[in-house]
Amino acid sequence: MTDDDPGPALRTAALEELLVERGLVDPAVVDGFVRTYERDVGPLNGATVVARAWSDPQFREWLLRDGTAAIASLGFTGPQGEHMVVLEQTEQVHHVVVCTLCSCYPWPVLGLPPSWYKDPAYRARVVREPRTVLAEMGLDVPPERRIEVWDSSAEVRYLVLPRRPAGTDGLTAEQLAGLVGRDAMVGVAEAVEPS
């Protein structure tokens, strides 16, 4: 950015002002979308699903059998979440999710996709060399663990159920959810251990 460059925030504000002035955007609608993604949609929803699965074996079984219905039972529904499949990380198999065509992503449980998920390099390379890509992202998958790559589509969205960290017995659902980040539910990271 140079001294003459107003920066992205000012450019965004100018663009918004122009769109509003021409009647192309209703600020109330935009504010509504922002509020929805700040409060109601996002990785905390997915972390809530994972925490429930970790602490309720019947819910876990339902989640793995019918992800759409189990997730909806917690109130997480909406566009991009109509057909959900949940993949459980195990000691034998590590799952990682990609959308090779565009950026299909489970909005109701993870919110909007991160920029790296939409990057053509990630979309192409994680299919060909998943172990290398995961290592570059900071996740070393043991060589004895098979890696399966799942390609999201307009028909099916995937949510990864991370392995529950050791030392979490007795934690509340809220504490468990705090261990689960967005990347763990895509399969490019693990759930964190409690400090």
Side-chain angles (χ1 to χ4, degrees):
M1 187 168 83
T2 66
D3 290 342
D4 297 330
D5 187 341
L10 285 177
R11 285 197 303 270
T12 302
L15 179 60
E16 181 181 357
E17 187 178 314
L18 183 63
L19 292 171
V20 170
E21 183 181 294
R22 293 188 178 189
L24 299 173
V25 168
D26 180 346
V29 172
V30 173
D31 290 346
F33 276 114
V34 171
R35 275 195 305 276
T36 296
Y37 282 93
E38 283 179 347
R39 299 179 192 166
D40 305 327
V41 177
L44 182 57
N45 292 352
T48 300
V49 172
V50 170
R52 176 76 181 272
W54 282 348
S55 55
D56 180 343
Q58 287 185 326
F59 180 80
R60 176 185 154 277
E61 187 276 326
W62 184 23
L63 184 67
L64 295 173
R65 181 170 36 85
D66 186 351
T68 306
I71 291 169
S73 76
L74 298 179
F76 307 134
T77 62
Q80 314 297 318
E82 296 91 347
H83 305 287
M84 295 288 305
V85 172
V86 177
L87 311 163
E88 185 178 35
Q89 305 287 36
T90 69
E91 293 300 320
Q92 292 75 40
V93 182
H94 181 90
H95 302 284
V96 61
V97 180
V98 66
C99 175
T100 56
L101 290 178
C102 50
S103 58
C104 295
Y105 198 70
W107 293 359
V109 285
L110 294 185
L112 298 176
S115 57
W116 58 260
Y117 186 83
K118 298 181 281 185
D119 188 294
Y122 171 79
R123 290 161 38 203
R125 290 186 60 222
V126 78
V127 174
R128 292 193 318 264
E129 47 182 353
R131 197 172 299 276
T132 300
V133 170
L134 293 174
E136 289 171 359
M137 296 180 82
L139 178 63
D140 290 316
V141 178
E144 66 275 11
R145 190 173 298 157
R146 187 176 75 249
I147 298 177
E148 293 187 359
V149 180
W150 297 81
D151 195 0
S152 291
S153 68
E155 288 77 34
V156 178
R157 307 298 161 97
Y158 298 100
L159 176 72
V160 172
L161 176 60
R163 289 176 297 124
R164 183 174 178 164
T168 57
D169 290 345
L171 295 187
T172 66
E174 187 175 55
Q175 290 170 321
L176 289 172
L179 305 176
V180 184
R182 173 200 65 206
D183 291 358
M185 295 180 281
V186 179
V188 300
E190 299 276 7
V192 299
E193 296 186 0
S195 52

